[in-house]
Amino acid sequence: MDIRKTHGALLRRLLPDDEPDGLPVRQGQFHDVVIGSDRVVCLPRTRAAAARLPERAAALRLLAELDLGFRTPEPLVRGGAHGADEVPFLVLTRIPGEPLRADALDDPRVADTVAAQYATLLGALARAGVDETVRAALPRAPADQWGRFAESVRAELFRLMSESGRLRAERELAALDGLPHLTRTVVHGDLGAENVLWEWKHGLPRLAGVLDWDGVALGDPAEDLAAIGAGHGAGLVERVLALGGASDHGLTARIAAIRGTFALQQALYALRDGDGEELADGLTDYR
């Protein structure tokens, strides 16, 4: 299904300076995003994602008011809240830039530059996490977050797995036992490489902005570091940690444990959202 055609009239209204047929479309786990010349249109892929649009818009407005040192999308228009026949959508400002190419970090100068900017990004989120306005507005990761996650995986996903897949999942879930409950840092929640945009100048990348804040909450920075590792490799995470200068205090182990659950997280949330494509992809190694 080409959403540029199925929602052509809506897109022409929301993006009056663009012709929808030629616009790029980015497919995320929860939204399809049509990228216009100066704004983007987010179209929820499921009813559950549509129901979360008001919370997403509120979080983005809060982030836009913070001095994070990089850009975040700002909500402009939200629609589809007043009737079942309306298509739900959220219009956001467009952030220039592109995700890093897979081979960009092969250049040590680029790797050092990127690591330094990731360290700055994480430092900004840590500082925001002690701001009382932010703490009052953002949700906190629940104390039993990982225990509940493990129970849900067993109850909802195990029936879809092979016996060897269940054994693999049990090993990954066991690594979550004993993770501390931390809520002093703003955590993006999905800081994968595709959600971080860069612009190039004089042969080096500059962090332009960060997209897709659906999972933003007060939590453990190990979650964001795990996502950076999944997107760019453990070597970059080591560089970022070295630049941070803080004692480990179990951080490396937490990163590894959380990273090991990413496919299970994808599958669980896709199952709940009714997204069969994402569910199948998340369960690939468990069947």
Side-chain angles (χ1 to χ4, degrees):
M1 180 179 70
D2 188 339
I3 63 170
R4 291 167 297 193
K5 296 186 181 301
T6 57
H7 298 304
L10 174 66
L11 293 172
R12 287 184 179 87
R13 176 164 63 86
L14 299 177
L15 302 171
D17 297 328
D18 299 298
E19 174 50 50
D21 288 347
L23 295 178
V25 176
R26 178 175 174 269
Q27 186 179 76
Q29 181 170 357
F30 302 115
H31 303 90
D32 291 318
V33 181
V34 182
I35 303 173
S37 55
D38 63 352
R39 57 180 61 187
V40 301
V41 178
C42 300
L43 298 167
R45 299 183 65 185
T46 65
R47 290 182 179 179
R52 294 192 294 267
L53 282 183
E55 295 177 9
R56 186 182 192 206
L60 288 173
R61 281 192 291 270
L62 172 66
L63 292 166
E65 296 173 359
L66 302 177
D67 183 16
L68 294 174
F70 55 87
R71 295 176 64 183
T72 58
E74 298 182 36
L76 300 174
V77 184
R78 181 169 63 86
H82 304 296
D85 294 333
E86 288 187 287
V87 175
F89 65 83
L90 181 62
V91 181
L92 306 172
T93 55
R94 178 180 177 178
I95 297 176
E98 298 291 338
L100 286 178
R101 302 184 308 272
D103 61 350
L105 299 181
D106 293 345
D107 183 337
R109 289 192 315 140
V110 172
D112 287 341
T113 299
V114 169
Q117 292 180 77
Y118 266 121
T120 299
L121 182 161
L122 294 170
L125 294 181
R127 289 190 297 276
V130 299
D131 182 298
E132 291 304 323
T133 301
V134 174
R135 296 189 65 78
L138 291 184
R140 287 169 170 76
D144 58 349
Q145 171 186 5
W146 295 115
R148 287 168 53 188
F149 171 73
E151 291 176 1
S152 296
V153 168
R154 294 185 182 104
E156 300 176 49
L157 293 180
F158 270 27
R159 61 185 174 81
L160 305 175
M161 299 179 184
S162 66
E163 182 177 354
S164 62
R166 289 191 290 271
L167 290 173
R168 172 178 176 153
E170 283 289 8
R171 290 193 298 271
E172 293 165 346
L173 296 174
L176 299 174
D177 292 344
L179 288 183
H181 181 227
L182 303 173
T183 61
R184 296 296 293 176
T185 298
V186 173
V187 173
H188 177 279
D190 188 13
L191 202 60
E194 71 281 357
N195 287 329
V196 184
L197 302 184
W198 305 81
E199 295 179 305
W200 289 77
K201 188 174 183 180
H202 304 306
L204 291 173
R206 180 185 65 82
L207 177 62
V210 179
L211 310 176
D212 200 356
W213 292 83
D214 281 12
V216 65
L218 298 166
D220 186 348
E223 293 188 45
D224 283 343
L225 284 158
I228 293 171
H232 298 300
L236 184 70
V237 173
E238 291 174 2
R239 277 183 161 95
V240 173
L241 292 176
L243 289 167
S247 300
D248 186 281
H249 296 302
L251 179 58
T252 302
R254 301 201 313 273
I255 293 169
I258 293 169
R259 181 174 172 180
T261 69
F262 280 171
L264 293 174
Q265 290 188 50
Q266 174 183 329
L268 180 64
Y269 303 139
L271 177 66
R272 291 174 173 178
D273 274 5
D275 192 327
E277 183 178 344
E278 286 290 323
L279 172 63
D281 181 65
L283 289 178
T284 299
D285 293 329
Y286 301 89
R287 286 180 159 167

